[in-house]
């Protein structure tokens, strides 16, 4: 028997259609052919179990072989095989009403191939210029046939001799795809796509070192594990089994997972798998796309964002479900009711597992917290349901390293850290070393300070302030210690307004000039025991700038300069000494200017009072000019006095030393300024 015919597809040439459709993932052909071979083998097992096949099953395996000289790749199985009629039905009649319509429908969806197994066979034409299919049905007395096609609609089918049942598919690789004739390339693809298929997949022989080189042994090189850990019952596995499977999934990862969750659901959907909590680093993006999605042990993708919430993509492991509709668009995936149920189930299982470890083995949970923290915070920030579950076990860490739940910490600090308005003020530092002096001051006052130095902490703080009633977070350097938690009205400053103005100008003369940093002088009454000068940074603007670094939409704040307050302690003896020294050094010389300024100020006020209530056209031009001249002279005198005070401060070592000490305590003194500070300190000593 020999027959020629045309494939049932409304396209002049199926080869460019398939190639165009799967161009971005043309290595998919191997998964499709091996999966089909596995299906054929499984069907034979099913027929045998049902008593419909009476013969010996024998050694069921799928074999892949490559002949570089002939330019061929062959995929062979010993499954059910096909008769000539079945070849005509399953190979020749492709279920397209229009190839172009199909292409247009799925042009943006890489996953659309899954489920179209008729098309799966034709994916071989992505890499082959000619394909032979040699098959013999398992049916008694069946005749083997050979189907051949060069990628055009024409094919031939003829009877051939084949001793064993099953199917051999021979691909004659085209010139553009010669890479697939390399053993290492094929082995990598088999490891990617066929690692856990249910029928043994064999590629060549195992090798050993012999006579100075690697040589083949007689043992088959089986690529896959037909019974991976996730297909077994949790009761059948020990901790070492889970760790071994993790190493099997990620052989290049030298670190062991923290914990794992074994998924095993058969109602109302089918879902199996094992999810691992890795040691999460700060670089979250590097951790993603590590969950492998399978459909009945056939690898599908590592891009699972449409199936699990985004924060769960930080986990590693395997999900296997035949109930995920993989042959539809990703937007449909995200709205599919079954997928949502699966996603919600996984979220609940993850939260339940963390809660279980926290309740049953808190020391272990605390030990692993630094690695779990990003994951838990990310989940709380992006999923309300996860927040509700996680608030019971999310931990806060103080600067001493002790860990608390939110409620534990609230109970610990509410007596000392509730302000006069009844708000609980939680103090924190984002750098224990840089803010050491600020932490010391807070602890000396009986306050507790949290360490919040993670990449998501600034967002977590904002969320907790919204969720927790009458609670606000304040960084420990955002104000003087007396004003961090205001328990009574501010203490009056024991300096006259004129003395305060003098101090502001003296210290303004020593403010550092740094790119994208602004410094302002402020004066407070902080007690004689507090520091003479300290640097603070307002909480709101600093927090906005930190968030801007992670959120492009807030770039406005990121472009603004950082603003700091140089706070002078009006009660400190050194601040008083600077005022006294200045009075003796330059106030005598300034007195004449001050007297002249007072006189000019009086003249300006009198002139303004004279013109008050009059319309502009009612005021003579000479009077307007006289007032303008007086105001100019007044401003000139004010500027001269300020400049002399600034010049005095700029040349005063004590002022410079106090400012630099405050900068040093806040981690802001670096480079040349730090070198000058060291030299000045040595000179003053």
């Amino acid at each position: 028997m020999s027959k020629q015919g045309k494939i049932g597809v409304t396209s002049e040439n199926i080869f460019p259609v398939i190639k165009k459709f799967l161009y971005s993932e043309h290595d998919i052909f191997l998964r499709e052919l091996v999966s089909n071979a596995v299906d054929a083998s499984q069907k034979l097992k099913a027929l045998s179990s049902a008593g419909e096949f009476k013969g010996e099953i024998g050694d069921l395996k799928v074999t892949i072989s490559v002949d570089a000289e002939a330019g061929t790749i062959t995929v062979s199985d010993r499954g059910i095989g096909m008769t000539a009629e079945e070849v005509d039905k399953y190979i020749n009649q492709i279920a397209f009403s229009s190839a172009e319509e199909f292409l247009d429908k799925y042009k943006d969806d890489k996953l659309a191939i899954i489920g179209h197994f008729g098309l799966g066979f034709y994916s071989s034409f992505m890499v082959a210029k000619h394909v032979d299919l040699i098959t013999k049905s398992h049916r008694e007395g069946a005749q083997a046939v050979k189907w051949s096609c060069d990628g055009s609609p024409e094919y031939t089918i003829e009877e051939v001799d084949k001793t064993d049942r099953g199917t051999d598919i021979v691909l004659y690789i085209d010139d553009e795809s010669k890479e697939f004739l390399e053993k290492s390339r094929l082995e990598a693809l088999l490891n990617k796509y066929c690692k856990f298929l249910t029928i043994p997949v064999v590629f060549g022989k195992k090798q050993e070192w012999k006579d100075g080189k690697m040589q083949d042994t007689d043992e088959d090189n089986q690529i896959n594990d037909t019974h991976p850990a996730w297909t077994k019952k949790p009761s059948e596995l020990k901790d070492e089994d889970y760790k071994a499977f993790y190493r099997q999934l990620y052989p290049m990862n030298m670190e062991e997972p923290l914990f794992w969750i074994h998924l095993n659901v058969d109602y109302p959907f089918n879902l199996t798998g094992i999810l691992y909590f890795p040691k999460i680093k700060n670089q979250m993006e590097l951790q993603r796309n590590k969950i492998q999605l399978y459909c009945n042990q056939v690898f599908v993708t590592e891009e699972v964002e449409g199936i699990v919430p985004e924060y769960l993509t930080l986990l590693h492991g395997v999900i296997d479900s035949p109930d995920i509709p993989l042959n539809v668009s990703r937007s449909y995936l995200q709205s599919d009711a079954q997928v949502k149920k699966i996603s919600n189930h996984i979220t609940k299982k993850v939260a339940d597992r963390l809660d279980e470890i926290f309740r049953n083995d808190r020391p272990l949970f605390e030990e692993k917290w630094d690695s779990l923290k990003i994951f838990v915070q990310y989940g709380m920030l992006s999923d309300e349901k996860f927040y509700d579950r996680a608030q019971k076990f999310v931990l806060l860490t103080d600067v001493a390293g002790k860990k608390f739940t939110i409620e534990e910490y609230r109970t610990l600090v509410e007596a000392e850290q509730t302000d006069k308005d009844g708000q609980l003020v939680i103090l924190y530092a984002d750098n224990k070393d840089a803010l050491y002096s600020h932490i010391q001051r807070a602890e000396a006052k009986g306050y507790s300070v949290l360490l919040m130095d993670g990449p998501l902490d600034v967002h977590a703080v904002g969320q907790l302030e919204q969720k927790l009633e009458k609670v606000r977070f304040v960084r420990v350097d955002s104000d003087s210690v007396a004003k961090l938690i205001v328990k009574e009205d501010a203490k009056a400053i024991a300096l006259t307004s004129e003395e305060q103005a003098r101090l502001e100008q003296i210290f303004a003369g020593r403010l550092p000039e740094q790119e994208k940093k602004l410094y302002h002088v402020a004066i407070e009454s902080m007690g004689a025991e507090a520091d003479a000068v300290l640097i603070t940074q307002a909480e709101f603007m600093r927090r906005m700038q930190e968030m801007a670094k992670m959120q492009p939409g807030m770039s406005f704040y990121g472009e603004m300069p950082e603003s700091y307050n140089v706070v002078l302690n009006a009660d400190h003896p050194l601040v008083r000494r600077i005022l006294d020294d200045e009075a003796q050094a330059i106030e005598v010389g300034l007195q004449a200017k001050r007297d002249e300024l007072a006189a000019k100020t009086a003249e300006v006020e009198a002139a303004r009072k004279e013109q008050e209530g009059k319309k502009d056209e009612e005021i003579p031009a000479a009077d307007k000019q006289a007032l303008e001249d007086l105001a100019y002279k007044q401003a000139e005198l004010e500027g001269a006095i300020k400049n002399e005070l600034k010049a005095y401060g700029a040349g005063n070592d004590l002022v410079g030393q106090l400012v630099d000490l405050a900068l040093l305590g806040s981690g802001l003194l670096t480079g040349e300024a730090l070198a000058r500070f060291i030299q000045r300190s040595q000179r003053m000593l």
Side-chain angles (χ1 to χ4, degrees):
M1 181 202 88
S2 180
K3 175 184 174 182
Q4 292 183 327
K6 282 197 173 185
I7 299 167
V9 58
T10 57
S11 171
E12 288 304 311
N13 192 331
I14 195 171
F15 182 46
V17 172
I18 300 298
K19 197 154 193 171
K20 179 181 176 183
F21 177 56
L22 288 175
Y23 183 75
S24 64
E25 292 188 42
H26 59 300
D27 61 7
I28 207 84
F29 80 94
L30 194 60
R31 181 189 69 185
E32 295 301 300
L33 296 181
V34 175
S35 295
N36 286 351
V38 167
D39 284 346
S41 303
Q42 289 284 35
K43 286 173 183 175
L44 186 71
K45 288 173 70 174
L47 290 173
S48 178
S49 297
E52 295 180 31
F53 174 65
K54 306 296 185 182
E56 289 291 328
I57 289 182
D59 182 18
L60 279 184
K61 63 183 177 182
V62 177
T63 304
I64 295 91
S65 56
V66 60
D67 187 334
E69 286 189 18
T72 61
I73 297 172
T74 302
V75 178
S76 303
D77 68 68
R78 297 184 65 252
I80 59 173
M82 289 182 282
T83 62
E85 291 77 13
E86 288 169 331
V87 169
D88 187 57
K89 179 179 179 181
Y90 296 119
I91 302 299
N92 293 336
Q93 302 300 318
I94 300 176
F96 293 165
S97 58
S98 165
E100 291 303 321
E101 179 185 338
F102 184 88
L103 279 175
D104 185 63
K105 183 177 180 181
Y106 293 114
K107 62 184 178 182
D108 296 323
D109 187 8
K110 290 187 286 185
L111 296 181
I113 180 64
I114 310 303
H116 293 277
F117 290 107
L119 180 60
F121 165 73
Y122 277 93
S123 66
S124 56
F125 284 101
M126 293 187 62
V127 298
K129 57 190 175 186
H130 183 95
V131 176
D132 289 339
L133 183 151
I134 303 144
T135 185
K136 183 178 181 181
S137 174
H138 67 287
R139 302 176 192 277
E140 193 172 345
Q143 171 63 51
V145 294
K146 176 181 177 181
W147 176 95
S148 297
C149 180
D150 63 1
S152 68
E154 282 79 19
Y155 68 88
T156 63
I157 186 168
E158 58 184 321
E159 294 181 354
V160 293
D161 292 329
K162 188 178 189 311
T163 56
D164 201 4
R165 66 169 191 270
T167 302
D168 302 324
I169 297 174
V170 184
L171 310 183
Y172 293 82
I173 304 302
D174 63 34
D175 292 339
E176 297 175 1
S177 305
K178 295 295 185 185
E179 60 177 291
F180 295 110
L181 294 173
E182 297 173 12
K183 182 180 177 182
S184 58
R185 181 76 168 104
L186 270 185
E187 193 155 27
L189 288 181
L190 289 168
N191 271 307
K192 176 180 178 180
Y193 289 121
C194 308
K195 200 170 185 177
F196 300 112
L197 290 172
T198 54
I199 297 294
V201 177
V202 172
F203 181 50
K205 299 291 183 180
K206 288 190 176 179
Q207 291 190 318
E208 64 179 22
W209 186 261
K210 190 176 181 182
D211 297 332
K213 61 180 180 180
M214 295 299 293
Q215 296 188 29
D216 287 348
T217 65
D218 294 331
E219 186 180 354
D220 285 342
N221 178 35
Q222 183 173 325
I223 293 292
N224 59 324
D225 176 0
T226 58
H227 299 288
W230 85 80
T231 65
K232 300 173 183 176
K233 295 177 181 177
S235 59
E236 298 172 4
L237 300 170
K238 298 178 180 177
D239 286 358
E240 188 48 49
D241 297 321
Y242 286 108
K243 292 176 183 177
F245 183 57
Y246 187 75
R247 291 190 294 271
Q248 189 178 358
L249 288 174
Y250 313 108
M252 302 306 292
N253 192 335
M254 297 297 107
E255 294 182 329
E256 289 189 348
L258 303 173
F259 315 114
W260 49 84
I261 301 168
H262 196 135
L263 304 167
N264 193 357
V265 184
D266 55 17
Y267 182 82
F269 46 78
N270 286 295
L271 173 69
T272 55
I274 300 173
L275 293 178
Y276 292 92
F277 292 86
K279 289 187 176 178
I280 298 175
K281 308 294 191 301
N282 287 349
Q283 297 85 357
M284 289 182 291
E285 290 299 324
L286 299 179
Q287 300 291 320
R288 295 189 181 192
N289 293 334
K290 293 292 186 179
I291 296 179
Q292 299 175 10
L293 178 65
Y294 287 78
C295 179
N296 291 327
Q297 295 178 232
V298 178
F299 174 80
V300 177
T301 182
E302 286 181 335
E303 297 177 10
V304 296
E305 287 88 345
I307 299 160
V308 300
E310 186 181 5
Y311 65 93
L312 288 181
T313 62
L314 296 178
L315 296 179
H316 294 179
V318 168
I319 295 173
D320 189 332
S321 177
D323 289 332
I324 295 174
L326 300 174
N327 59 335
V328 293
S329 67
R330 189 162 299 175
S331 60
Y332 181 81
L333 266 181
Q334 293 169 350
S335 61
D336 181 72
Q338 194 78 315
V339 173
K340 283 187 175 179
K341 288 178 185 176
I342 291 173
S343 176
N344 290 338
H345 176 79
I346 294 171
T347 299
K348 183 178 183 302
K349 288 289 286 186
V350 168
D352 288 349
R353 175 66 171 140
L354 288 170
D355 186 48
E356 175 193 356
I357 297 168
F358 172 73
R359 286 185 289 101
N360 295 338
D361 195 347
R362 179 159 176 173
L364 176 66
F365 189 85
E366 290 190 5
E367 179 189 331
K368 309 293 186 184
W369 176 247
D370 288 342
S371 289
L372 289 172
K373 179 179 174 181
I374 290 177
F375 168 78
V376 173
Q377 285 183 330
Y378 192 13
M380 293 175 73
L381 288 164
S382 53
D383 187 332
E384 281 289 324
K385 289 182 180 177
F386 188 83
Y387 174 89
D388 292 339
R389 295 184 177 109
Q391 63 175 323
K392 295 179 292 184
F393 54 75
V394 65
L395 295 180
L396 304 173
T397 307
D398 69 13
V399 290
K402 192 170 182 183
K403 294 176 170 58
F404 310 85
T405 65
I406 294 172
E407 281 307 309
E408 287 170 350
Y409 195 71
R410 188 170 192 155
T411 301
L412 175 74
V413 302
E414 61 185 351
E416 287 294 326
Q417 294 181 207
T418 300
D419 67 13
K420 65 186 181 72
D421 298 321
Q423 274 209 325
L424 177 64
V425 180
I426 296 180
L427 303 178
Y428 70 95
D430 62 355
N431 187 315
K432 189 165 61 171
D433 295 328
L435 300 180
Y436 180 80
S437 58
H438 293 276
I439 295 168
Q440 255 193 334
R441 293 186 197 102
E443 290 182 334
K445 203 166 176 65
Y447 300 153
S448 172
V449 181
L450 294 177
L451 180 62
M452 305 197 79
D453 57 356
L456 294 180
D457 276 332
V458 65
H459 300 279
V461 161
Q463 183 184 49
L464 290 174
E465 284 179 331
Q466 290 178 354
K467 296 284 188 181
L468 304 177
E469 190 176 349
K470 300 194 79 173
V471 171
R472 63 188 176 94
F473 284 73
V474 176
R475 203 169 82 171
V476 72
D477 65 332
S478 64
D479 216 325
S480 63
V481 70
K483 293 175 72 175
L484 285 173
I485 305 172
V486 180
K487 297 186 178 181
E488 55 189 24
D489 293 334
K491 186 180 172 185
I493 298 173
L495 295 174
T496 66
S497 57
E498 186 265 340
E499 288 175 322
Q500 291 181 52
R502 283 162 53 198
L503 273 176
E504 286 176 7
Q505 297 309 316
I506 291 168
F507 276 85
R510 291 308 290 251
L511 294 183
E513 295 182 2
Q514 298 172 340
E515 188 178 357
K516 295 200 76 173
K517 285 185 174 66
L518 295 177
Y519 292 88
H520 309 277
V521 177
I523 300 174
E524 292 180 17
S525 179
M526 298 186 287
E529 300 302 315
D531 289 357
V533 181
L534 64 96
I535 307 291
T536 65
Q537 188 179 22
E539 176 75 14
F540 174 77
M541 186 56 69
R542 177 196 50 72
R543 199 185 294 185
M544 292 302 104
Q545 288 177 324
E546 287 178 358
M547 292 176 73
K549 293 174 184 176
M550 299 184 69
Q551 296 183 9
M554 298 180 66
S555 57
F556 167 75
Y557 289 104
E559 294 302 315
M560 294 181 69
E562 297 177 37
S563 183
Y564 297 90
N565 290 322
V566 180
V567 184
L568 313 182
N569 181 4
D571 300 328
H572 199 281
L574 287 176
V575 174
R576 182 77 252 179
R577 175 180 152 188
I578 288 168
L579 266 179
D580 293 343
D581 289 349
E582 180 270 332
Q584 292 182 12
I586 66 171
E587 277 302 315
V588 173
L590 282 177
Q591 193 56 50
K593 286 189 176 70
R594 292 190 187 280
D595 291 343
E596 187 179 356
L597 175 61
K600 280 286 179 282
T601 299
E603 289 180 53
V604 167
E605 288 175 355
R608 281 180 177 155
K609 191 169 184 180
E610 177 67 25
Q611 297 178 13
E612 191 177 312
K614 293 181 180 180
K615 294 180 180 179
D616 186 65
E617 60 269 19
E618 295 175 347
I619 304 171
D623 290 353
K624 291 180 184 178
Q625 186 61 49
L627 177 57
E628 189 176 322
D629 292 343
L630 286 170
Y632 178 81
K633 186 61 177 176
Q634 179 193 35
E636 192 177 46
L637 285 166
E638 286 177 342
I641 293 169
K642 287 179 179 179
N643 286 337
E644 285 199 42
L645 289 168
K646 285 181 180 179
Y648 175 80
N652 188 289
D653 280 349
L654 179 56
V655 173
Q657 197 74 354
L658 289 175
V659 170
D660 284 352
L661 282 168
L663 291 168
L664 187 66
S666 295
L668 295 168
L669 192 66
T670 58
E672 184 181 350
L674 178 59
R676 288 199 304 267
F677 168 74
I678 294 171
Q679 292 169 359
R680 187 193 318 117
S681 299
Q682 292 173 341
R683 186 175 67 249
M684 292 177 73
L685 288 171

